[in-house]
Amino acid sequence: MNSGLIKVSSLESKAGKITLQADKITLENSTILDASGATQGGEIYVGGGFQGKDNTLYNAFDVQVDNGAFIDASATSIGDAGQIVFWSDKLMRFAGLIKATGGNISGDGGEVEVSGKERLWFLGKTDLISSNGKNGSLLLDPGTITIVDGSSGQTGTPSDWSDNNIYGSYVIPETVLESLTGDVVLTANTDIIIEDLSDNELTLSASNMYFYSNDETSPTSAGGILMKDINDTIFLNQGSGHELVFQGGNISSAPESASIYLGNIKTSGANVIFNTKRSMAATPIKVKGTVFTNGGDITAEAGTRFGINNSDVVDIYFDGLVKTSGGDFTSDMTGDVYMNGGLDVGSGSANIAGNSVNVNIIKSPSNITTNNKTLEIEKIITPISNEQAIIKNNIKTNIKNNMTIPNEFKRTEVNVVQLLQMTQQQN
């Protein structure tokens, strides 16, 4: 138990290192752990190392950090903030304030993890901002994560802390998640569930947002991402150079078989990435609403976390319009691809792999490339003049509305402008 000051800070150079090791650790409300440094923040490890995998540190089984406790590994002048890890093999209860900001002149924010391998109760706050560099990152790592409507419903409020038997998963209110800044990484061994939101939108302030479900080393385990209301929207209000990432393998309980089951997705230019996480064939990726990136790219690919060779034999369903407004669309999956709401990449390009690709509407003045066996197009909207949309390497291409393709176009490359002209002639 600690209620005082532990200080390894430096006014001139890099800060030192603080390590607290015991079976049970409690930091009371007057605790200060100071590892701030002028040229670089230090290191603070309470209860273990990153993800509990540092064999040089003893892992705690119960860690409690009271409201009022202050932990600082910032850089104060020039340089990056340090690393802060709070780890427990069983229960983590955290209500303190963590600061890991970059230097005032230059430097990035720090890396922060708060994890309970079996149970996580997080009511803390973080400041990971860098005014002249990249913001830092916060990793929350429980078994299951549920994001609930509004500002109430937080797992493990201090009144619950005397009962060690409740809450095997982590519940975080919508407003708490929306307030987190820096890179926010939510990892769950099984599912990440987003409940019905009364305001219909999860508006994220994070620099980059990562939803990693099914996030552990077994290549065949279950877990996925589920939005209960597909009319709701996840909105990352960040532009170019930022990303919104979803990882899933197999949702434990969903309306339809899926690894990722989402409503509407929107960014202000940030990229959107869909990853699978299973070495055997994962269940489909299903986006029931629209995807608007306002210049950002959209990518679907096999995940690479933990060095696992994840399967790319995954079907993808986009039921709403996919619109990048100049960003690129790329799918490396080798299952079937269904773009039921249409594809509009503007001045961007689309590269779609897959056994079969079905697109309701193509609206693009640039290149659309596939290496699939069959491409079906419901409608082609005129590309901008002097631009071409190319569909390459198809064994078979079907244009619907009873249109037939002359033999001279049944080849490895078909110009969409020519297909449009044929459509107009036949109609």
Side-chain angles (χ1 to χ4, degrees):
M1 181 178 293
N2 184 79
S3 59
L5 169 66
I6 300 177
K7 187 173 183 178
V8 294
S9 61
S10 174
L11 297 176
E12 297 179 351
S13 60
K14 177 182 176 180
K17 180 178 179 179
I18 296 173
T19 301
L20 300 180
Q21 303 179 76
D23 287 334
K24 185 174 182 179
I25 300 172
T26 299
L27 303 184
E28 296 184 338
N29 58 10
S30 58
T31 299
I32 298 176
L33 305 182
D34 185 357
S36 58
T39 60
Q40 186 174 339
E43 301 168 82
I44 299 175
Y45 301 103
V46 178
F50 182 70
Q51 293 191 325
K53 297 177 181 179
D54 189 338
N55 293 329
T56 67
L57 299 176
Y58 182 79
N59 286 358
F61 66 80
D62 189 328
V63 176
Q64 176 174 319
V65 182
D66 293 340
N67 183 23
F70 178 60
I71 301 94
D72 190 2
S74 299
T76 58
S77 181
I78 300 175
D80 299 336
Q83 184 177 54
I84 298 173
V85 175
F86 282 81
W87 174 269
S88 172
D89 277 349
K90 291 188 177 180
L91 174 60
M92 171 66 65
R93 294 166 288 190
F94 190 96
L97 170 61
I98 292 175
K99 184 179 180 183
T101 55
N104 294 329
I105 298 174
S106 65
D108 299 336
E111 297 180 354
V112 175
E113 178 186 13
V114 181
S115 294
K117 188 173 182 180
E118 294 184 6
R119 294 191 295 275
L120 169 64
W121 302 351
F122 180 82
L123 295 92
K125 296 181 179 179
T126 60
D127 182 0
L128 311 176
I129 298 298
S130 173
S131 55
N132 292 291
K134 295 180 180 179
N135 293 334
S137 63
L138 170 65
L139 167 63
L140 300 176
D141 189 10
T144 301
I145 297 174
T146 301
I147 300 163
V148 295
D149 181 40
S151 58
S152 60
Q154 179 88 33
T155 290
T157 59
S159 61
D160 300 323
W161 283 10
S162 60
D163 185 352
N164 292 339
N165 296 314
I166 62 174
Y167 300 122
S169 62
Y170 176 46
V171 176
I172 181 170
E174 170 191 6
T175 57
V176 173
L177 183 57
E178 290 177 333
S179 69
L180 297 177
T181 57
D183 292 353
V184 177
V185 184
L186 296 183
T187 72
N189 287 344
T190 56
D191 293 332
I192 297 176
I193 300 169
I194 304 171
E195 298 283 356
D196 184 5
L197 307 177
S198 60
D199 64 355
N200 301 317
E201 185 170 285
L202 180 64
T203 306
L204 301 165
S205 303
S207 299
N208 299 285
M209 186 73 214
Y210 303 88
F211 293 93
Y212 288 137
S213 64
N214 194 17
D215 198 59
E216 42 77 43
T217 56
S218 171
T220 59
S221 57
I225 303 172
L226 170 64
M227 286 181 71
K228 289 288 190 70
D229 186 351
I230 59 174
N231 295 309
D232 288 345
T233 299
I234 298 176
F235 175 36
L236 179 61
N237 191 18
Q238 298 290 351
S240 176
H242 300 268
E243 59 185 12
L244 173 60
V245 180
F246 302 94
Q247 171 189 280
N250 186 10
I251 301 172
S252 302
S253 176
E256 305 171 17
S257 176
S259 59
I260 298 171
Y261 188 87
L262 302 173
N264 302 295
I265 307 298
K266 182 172 67 173
T267 75
S268 298
N271 299 331
V272 176
I273 299 171
F274 302 95
N275 286 159
T276 54
K277 163 57 177 65
R278 279 172 75 86
S279 62
M280 299 168 59
T283 50
I285 295 171
K286 295 184 177 181
V287 182
K288 310 300 285 186
T290 59
V291 183
F292 293 159
T293 58
N294 293 289
D297 297 337
I298 300 173
T299 304
E301 59 188 2
T304 58
R305 283 171 67 78
F306 309 112
I308 296 174
N309 186 22
N310 290 300
S311 174
D312 61 4
V313 186
V314 178
D315 296 338
I316 305 174
Y317 297 80
F318 289 99
D319 287 350
L321 174 63
V322 175
K323 184 176 182 179
T324 66
S325 298
D328 296 336
F329 179 92
T330 304
S331 173
D332 294 330
M333 300 304 186
T334 59
D336 294 338
V337 179
Y338 298 89
M339 308 197 73
N340 300 320
L343 172 64
D344 182 356
V345 294
S347 60
S349 62
N351 190 335
I352 311 172
N355 181 61
S356 175
V357 178
N358 302 266
V359 184
N360 182 31
I361 298 174
I362 290 180
K363 182 180 180 182
S364 172
S366 56
N367 286 337
I368 297 174
T369 303
T370 77
N371 60 4
N372 60 288
K373 296 178 181 178
T374 301
L375 175 68
E376 292 192 355
I377 304 173
E378 180 74 28
K379 181 179 179 183
I380 303 171
I381 298 178
T382 309
I384 295 174
S385 60
N386 300 323
E387 297 282 355
Q388 292 183 337
I390 304 297
I391 304 170
K392 294 181 178 179
N393 303 327
N394 296 295
I395 296 174
K396 181 181 178 182
T397 303
N398 296 327
I399 307 300
K400 294 186 178 180
N401 297 324
N402 298 317
M403 175 183 172
T404 58
I405 301 176
N407 290 330
E408 61 265 28
F409 293 112
K410 291 182 178 178
R411 53 187 183 178
T412 59
E413 183 173 296
V414 180
N415 188 308
V416 170
V417 176
Q418 294 169 318
L419 290 176
L420 174 68
Q421 293 171 347
M422 287 188 296
T423 305
Q424 293 171 336
Q425 291 171 358
Q426 293 189 26
N427 292 334

